Amino acid sequence: HHKHIASSCVFRDNNHFYIATAGRDGKICLWDGNEFELLNTFTLAADLEIYVVEFHPNGKLLAAGCNNGNIF
């Protein structure tokens, strides 16, 4: 879960319902949308704010846009 505001939320239904959230705490959280459980947390950097997150069309990758202009 996020320690600060979640700034982005995206949904993906690829034979299973997933939710990805991005936060101003530098974290991306991947959720099981069917069970409402946290699956994994990815920390880019504590000093980054992630403003947007998006699934790749294949549903297996995530992209994140940060306050420093970088895209991961």
Side-chain angles (χ1 to χ4, degrees):
H1 67 284
H2 298 283
K3 292 182 181 179
H4 299 286
I5 296 170
S7 53
S8 181
C9 180
V10 65
F11 305 90
R12 178 73 178 175
D13 189 359
N14 191 15
N15 296 326
H16 194 86
F17 185 54
Y18 293 102
I19 302 168
T21 57
R24 295 191 174 180
D25 55 2
K27 295 180 181 180
I28 297 172
C29 295
L30 182 63
W31 304 85
D32 181 322
N34 293 323
E35 301 296 325
F36 301 105
E37 292 181 297
L38 180 62
L39 298 175
N40 209 336
T41 301
F42 309 95
T43 302
L44 297 182
D47 62 339
L48 286 179
E49 295 181 13
I50 305 172
Y51 291 141
V52 64
V53 66
E54 184 61 67
F55 281 101
H56 185 278
N58 71 13
K60 297 180 182 179
L61 301 171
L62 288 168
C66 304
N67 62 322
N68 65 359
N70 287 336
I71 299 173
F72 295 93

